[in-house]
Amino acid sequence: MPDPTRTGFIVALACPRAVSIVEFAELALTANQVRIRTLYSGISAGTELGQYRGVSPHLNKRWDDERRMFVSGGVSKSYPLTDWGYEEVGEVVELGAAVTKVNCGDVVWGTWGHKSSHVADEDWAAARILPSALDPICGIYSHVGAIALNAVLDADIHVGEYVAVFGMGVMGLTVMQIAQLNGGMVMAVDGITKRLELARVLGAEAAINFTEQDPAEVIKDMTDQRGADVSIEISGSYAALHSAIRATAYNARVVSAGFHTGEGRGLMLGEEFHHNRIQVISSQISGQAPHLAHRWNRLRLNRTVMQLQAQGRIDLQRLVTHTYAARDAAQAYQLLDENPSDAVQVVLKF
């Protein structure tokens, strides 16, 4: 139950493009719970911006969980939004009377929204303690990193294959690094010079600016006119998905992992998709590929991303470009909405 003597705050969305700060009474702990003080919360430039702009399908239709489809009549989410955000890390600051698996001072990663504190069961927290080798800010990548890893698993990359990754935001730069661990030679595609420069630093075989070159033609030229062995579209752009299909080899696959909103304008399925027998696979974090689901789950994906960071095999801290005080969150969202070329990962500090 709420403890009126303790208060925290949530970064809320009152309506499209209107960020507000809402105070709340913190919960009192039960015997097996811990209180986590949020250190950082990352902003998703995909799903969250869709909510910020008011274009997410969940704000306009109702998701039927049982039938797994959007239906008319009602909506899944409505303003004000207080439960958005899924890139959090914090420090354990209080223990319930019976807690034995977690200590005060432990740093815990997870998903609890843009709020200053979170109450969790000790088993949940104990399973999500950040490796001591990592800077706490690296903990924000548990969920977005899992999305990227899931896309790479869906892509089924083999050593020596050419992998085209469309979109060099946080997700794309993470996908690129994990794909390289699988032995893939990554061709990075984006329209923002700074992001392409970062892709080069992180080891991309090629960095293709779609505002200057046709990615499909460049990729065909690089692969003896064959095309990418697999392409991953992670930007949520229909035009990028169409470009990925064009760039991919005959009878090969495209993984669609970006969060697309609205109608599919720019996606011409009667062209290369039809003539080249392209398989388009939807990758989404709610599940894993059928042949992997008995071995992989969400927690394993999350933990793997943390382990790869701790081992120095991927570098996600480098993706942080801007940090704002959490109470200045409105400025952070405005930056991502109006000047996306200036930022990669934007973080709120609590």
Side-chain angles (χ1 to χ4, degrees):
M1 71 183 339
D3 179 352
T5 67
R6 306 181 65 128
T7 60
F9 69 92
I10 298 172
V11 176
L13 186 63
C15 60
R17 292 183 168 87
V19 174
S20 61
I21 301 298
V22 177
E23 308 291 328
F24 70 93
E26 295 188 344
L27 295 174
L29 298 184
T30 62
N32 293 105
Q33 290 182 325
V34 301
R35 190 180 316 279
I36 302 167
R37 178 177 62 85
T38 305
L39 297 173
Y40 301 102
S41 184
I43 296 177
S44 157
T47 302
E48 280 189 65
L49 269 194
Q51 296 170 334
Y52 178 80
R53 293 166 174 163
V55 297
S56 169
H58 292 279
L59 292 165
N60 301 293
K61 298 178 181 178
R62 181 171 61 85
W63 174 252
D64 185 325
D65 253 342
E66 183 178 352
R67 293 187 289 169
R68 297 198 62 80
M69 62 186 295
F70 284 100
V71 296
S72 58
V75 295
S76 300
K77 292 180 178 289
S78 59
Y79 298 107
L81 291 180
T82 57
D83 61 346
W84 63 332
Y86 49 75
E87 304 178 35
E88 286 73 53
V89 63
E91 179 184 1
V92 176
V93 294
E94 184 182 357
L95 308 176
V99 170
T100 60
K101 300 175 184 177
V102 179
N103 297 307
C104 283
D106 285 343
V107 177
V108 175
W109 50 262
T111 296
W112 56 81
H114 300 308
K115 57 183 181 178
S116 59
S117 67
H118 177 61
V119 171
D121 291 337
E122 68 168 319
D123 287 340
W124 184 93
R128 293 165 174 80
I129 294 176
L130 189 75
S132 59
L134 288 176
D135 186 299
I137 204 168
C138 296
I140 67 170
Y141 291 109
S142 68
H143 186 71
V144 293
I147 294 170
L149 174 55
N150 208 32
V152 172
L153 292 176
D154 281 325
D156 191 23
I157 298 162
H158 305 104
V159 172
E161 289 190 328
Y162 285 95
V163 183
V165 181
F166 288 75
M168 286 292 109
V170 173
M171 297 288 197
L173 289 163
T174 306
V175 163
M176 186 192 83
Q177 294 183 68
I178 299 173
Q180 289 170 331
L181 294 180
N182 276 27
M185 296 177 288
V186 176
M187 298 168 288
V189 181
D190 204 285
I192 298 175
T193 301
K194 289 181 181 178
R195 294 183 180 182
L196 291 170
E197 289 172 350
L198 184 52
R200 288 190 187 94
V201 170
L202 293 171
E205 293 284 325
I208 305 165
N209 190 324
F210 66 75
T211 69
E212 300 171 355
Q213 298 173 290
D214 181 334
E217 292 189 1
V218 175
I219 290 167
K220 293 278 184 174
D221 287 342
M222 287 185 62
T223 58
D224 296 325
Q225 306 308 316
R226 184 178 57 250
D229 294 287
V230 60
S231 293
I232 302 174
E233 196 293 307
I234 194 83
S235 71
S237 161
Y238 288 109
L241 180 57
H242 180 68
S243 187
I245 290 169
R246 291 189 70 230
T248 302
Y250 176 82
N251 236 8
R253 82 188 68 84
V254 172
V255 174
S256 175
F259 184 27
H260 299 276
T261 57
E263 295 182 19
R265 299 191 179 188
L267 186 59
M268 291 158 276
L269 299 181
E271 297 184 4
E272 289 83 4
F273 169 75
H274 178 76
H275 289 80
N276 288 338
R277 294 178 51 88
I278 300 296
Q279 181 185 22
V280 177
I281 299 170
S282 173
S283 181
Q284 205 270 347
I285 195 59
S286 64
Q288 288 70 53
H291 66 287
L292 298 176
H294 64 294
R295 293 186 285 114
W296 284 87
N297 58 22
R298 180 82 65 88
L299 184 57
R300 183 179 178 184
L301 291 168
N302 297 145
R303 283 176 162 175
T304 299
V305 171
M306 293 302 154
Q307 290 166 359
L308 292 175
Q309 289 189 89
Q311 293 163 359
R313 300 177 71 190
I314 60 174
D315 183 357
L316 303 185
Q317 188 173 357
R318 184 189 290 268
L319 309 187
V320 176
T321 55
H322 294 73
T323 302
Y324 287 83
R327 289 186 179 273
D328 295 329
Q331 298 175 35
Y333 282 97
Q334 185 176 10
L335 169 71
L336 285 170
D337 184 35
E338 298 178 3
N339 299 293
S341 62
D342 292 340
V344 183
Q345 177 66 69
V346 177
V347 178
L348 303 178
K349 184 176 181 179
F350 284 80

